[in-house]
Amino acid sequence: MGNVYASTSKDINKQPVILTGSHIDTVINGGSLDGTYGVLSSLTSLGELVQQHGTPKVPIVSVSFSEEEGSRFDATFTGSRYLTNQFDESILSLADNKGVVFETARQLAVTELQHEMPIQEYWNIGKYLELHIEQGPILEQTSQNIGIVTGIVGQKRAQIKIVGQANHAGTTPMNMRHDALRQAIELISNIHECLDDVADLRYTIGQFDVLPNVSNVVPGEVTFSLDMRQLNQDILEKYFAQVENIVHQYQGTIEPTTNVKSTKMSDELQKILVAATEDHELTYTSLPSGAGHDAQVISYKIPTGMIFVPSIDGVSHSPLEQTQDDDLLNGQHVLKKALYKLAY
């Protein structure tokens, strides 16, 4: 699937390993830290531990997952889903905006990688740790060095389509138009009214396509995205269903593209991460994650823990994404200490 691994042992198929890492892809016009920071920190920690303490009692594997964001293909967490046997084969037929099919891109990526590490398709993972920038403002605003993640929100994404009638802008009377864009704007306004006051629900309409997208033609079709997130899965399901009803009132269609359930992080691993943080005399707070991560889908099958470090001004998924060097090092030190406690 294009995932890349480094291991403290050539033979990792005989016992459960400790997996640590993150993803290597990013969003369009994204920053340099989201995902990549966790990958490099896991690899650095693994190398330093072997150099300083020798081979661990429990093998440690560093992973760089190939596709977490879903920026190229309309599917998320494909690398981590594949590794944990949660992959949907229908994804293989998806195409990117240039018409390249997922399976074609996958085969090309795997062909280009060097297969130096003999592993089974699905091997035994005992625990998973992921280090990541927070992508939000909480740690910086509360002056905390480290965030210990308690859980990750559920996430639903969908594409909503309104179909009208494309027609000449000069010859079509206003009262005889079937303007898809005008209908879409009214629909979006109703979605705002439905969702704005729901506590702790975060939703975004961030992608908008108008056809034929010509200045002198009445829009005939509009497609836009909806991203909804909530830690309480029941609330998320309830209000997504309400949005579906609103869309149908406008004779629109709504096609779900992502459905990731909320999850809790391992209590045991949270305690280990707290101890590792205290060993380095760093401050910390416990908090949920409003962003999805590979840790989310992995946690459905495997005990999982997650560490956050502060993001400057809470900015992420942007070229302005930054974290102080000291904070980046603090996170790597905590990850390394936690891996030592688990593996040595």
Side-chain angles (χ1 to χ4, degrees), residues 105-125:
R106 184 197 70 81
Q107 290 180 0
L108 177 61
V110 171
T111 299
E112 291 176 344
L113 293 173
Q114 294 180 353
H115 299 278
E116 296 180 350
M117 183 173 154
I119 60 171
Q120 296 174 357
E121 187 173 11
Y122 304 112
W123 28 279
N124 195 349
I125 304 168

Side-chain angles (χ1 to χ4, degrees), residues 174 179-187 219 222 250:
M174 298 304 294
D179 188 330
L181 180 56
R182 186 166 184 171
Q183 288 288 98
I185 291 170
E186 292 180 9
L187 168 58
V222 172
Y250 282 81

Side-chain angles (χ1 to χ4, degrees), residues 215-261:
S215 62
N216 60 352
V217 178
V218 177
E221 182 178 300
V222 172
T223 303
F224 61 92
S225 64
L226 176 67
D227 181 311
M228 295 175 61
R229 308 179 188 216
Q230 233 281 357
L231 193 59
N232 186 313
Q233 189 68 30
D234 291 337
I235 292 176
L236 181 63
E237 300 285 353
K238 173 184 175 181
Y239 283 95
F240 186 80
Q242 291 193 17
V243 169
E244 288 180 311
N245 289 334
I246 295 170
V247 172
H248 294 153
Q249 289 171 18
Y250 282 81
Q251 287 74 54
T253 60
I254 179 168
E255 180 183 356
T257 57
T258 296
N259 183 17
V260 182
K261 292 184 179 179

Side-chain angles (χ1 to χ4, degrees), residues 8 52 127 200 241 277 283 311 339:
T8 58
Q52 296 166 9
K127 295 178 175 64
D200 297 322
T277 304
T283 59
S311 295
L339 291 171

